[in-house]
Amino acid sequence: MNLKKTNSNLTVFREGVRDGFPIGLGYFAVAFSLGILARTAHFTPLQGFINSFLNRASAGEYAVYTVVAAGAGFVEMAIMTLVVNARYLLMSTALSQKFDPKTPLIHRMLVGFSVTDEIFAITINRPGFINPIYNYGACAIAVPCWALGTSCGIVAGELMPLRVVSAFSVALYGMFLACIMPEARKHRIVAVFIIISFVLSYLASRLEVFASISAGTKTIILTVVIAAVAAILFPHPMEEDDD
C-alpha cells in the first residue's frame, strides 16, 4: 500500500516537473532582465538569488529593486511588496477551496508560499483535489530557474559594457508591457487606468508639492489609490471567466 502511494506521489511529482519546465525557461529570461535592474540597485548575485528564491514575483521584485535604488527604508520596501503581491492572497484563497479537508496545514502553507501567477494557473486547472506534491515538482524546476536567472542577470550586468547593460534594461520595460497589454486590450477600463497611472506617476515626479515624499512612498500611494478607485468605480464582474 505504501509502495503504491510512493509511486503515485513520484508520478505526480514528475508531472509537476514536466509542467514547470516551460515555466522555468520563461522565468529565466524574465529574471535575467530583473537581474540587470538589481545590479543597478547594487545587489550581489547571491543577494539577488536569495531575493528571487523567496519572492518569485516580477512586479514585486521590480518594486523592491526600485525602492532600494531610490534609497527607501525597510518599511517602505515591505509595504510596497505587500501591495504589489496582494493578488497572491486571492489566488491562495481560491486554491484553499480545492484542498482535501485532510490536507495537513504545513502542505497548505507551502503551496501558498509557492504560488505564482503561472503555478497558480497550472494548479487550478488540475482536476480533483490539489496534491501538494504536484506543486513541489513544478517549483523544483521553476523556482531555481527564476533565482538563477536573476543571478545571471546581475553577473552579466557587471561584465557587460554600460551601453549594453542600458540596452538590456529596456527588456524589463518590454516585459511589463507584455504583462499589461493583453489585459488592456481585453478591458478598456484597464487601459484607461494604465494611462492614468502613467500620467499621475509623471506628475508626482515633477510637481513641487510631492518633492518631500520619497519615490518609494509615491509609488505605494499611487498604487493603493489608483487600484482602490478602479475597484470601487468598476468592480470586477463575479460571473466573468477571467484568467
Side-chain angles (χ1 to χ4, degrees):
M1 182 66 180
N2 288 336
L3 179 61
K4 184 178 180 181
K5 184 177 180 181
T6 300
N7 290 335
S8 176
N9 285 338
L10 185 59
T11 300
V12 173
F13 184 85
R14 287 173 176 168
E15 291 176 355
V17 172
R18 178 199 62 195
D19 295 343
F21 183 72
I23 294 175
L25 292 179
Y27 277 2
F28 184 89
V30 174
F32 188 90
S33 299
L34 273 175
I36 298 291
L37 178 65
R39 175 191 173 270
T40 64
H42 306 294
F43 275 69
T44 67
L46 178 60
Q47 290 171 333
F49 184 92
I50 294 173
N51 183 43
S52 286
F53 192 86
L54 297 176
N55 199 336
R56 305 176 312 285
S58 56
E61 289 186 47
Y62 176 83
V64 167
Y65 297 138
T66 301
V67 296
V68 169
F74 290 117
V75 174
E76 288 177 306
M77 194 188 314
I79 294 175
M80 191 65 211
T81 305
L82 176 66
V83 171
V84 174
N85 290 339
R87 67 187 185 281
Y88 295 132
L89 175 64
L90 303 178
M91 293 181 188
S92 299
T93 302
L95 290 178
S96 70
Q97 306 304 306
K98 291 197 65 178
F99 275 112
D100 185 325
K102 297 180 181 178
T103 302
L105 178 61
I106 183 65
H107 285 302
R108 294 171 181 263
M109 294 177 66
L110 289 174
V111 169
F113 179 72
S114 66
V115 166
T116 67
D117 300 54
E118 294 75 17
I119 291 178
F120 168 79
I122 61 175
T123 303
I124 203 72
N125 285 324
R126 283 178 66 85
F129 289 125
I130 291 175
N131 187 339
I133 303 299
Y134 174 79
N135 289 66
Y136 301 155
C139 290
I141 185 70
V143 173
C145 285
W146 178 257
L148 189 62
T150 304
S151 292
C152 289
I154 295 174
V155 172
E158 293 175 346
L159 299 177
M160 291 186 299
L162 184 59
R163 290 185 177 181
V164 178
V165 172
S166 179
F168 268 96
S169 300
V170 177
L172 194 63
Y173 298 102
M175 179 197 75
F176 274 98
L177 287 176
C179 292
I180 63 177
M181 288 308 293
E183 286 299 314
R185 293 179 64 181
K186 286 193 297 185
H187 305 287
R188 183 176 300 176
I189 294 300
V190 174
V192 171
F193 274 93
I194 288 174
I195 295 173
I196 290 174
S197 66
F198 286 168
V199 173
L200 292 181
S201 295
Y202 176 76
L203 293 176
S205 66
R206 295 294 181 181
L207 295 179
E208 190 66 26
V209 67
F210 298 112
S212 60
I213 304 176
S214 68
T217 302
K218 290 176 189 174
T219 305
I220 294 172
I221 294 173
L222 287 174
T223 302
V224 173
V225 170
I226 295 173
V229 171
I232 292 172
L233 296 181
F234 305 97
H236 196 284
M238 294 293 292
E239 68 277 7
E240 185 175 348
D241 183 17
D242 204 340
D243 53 0

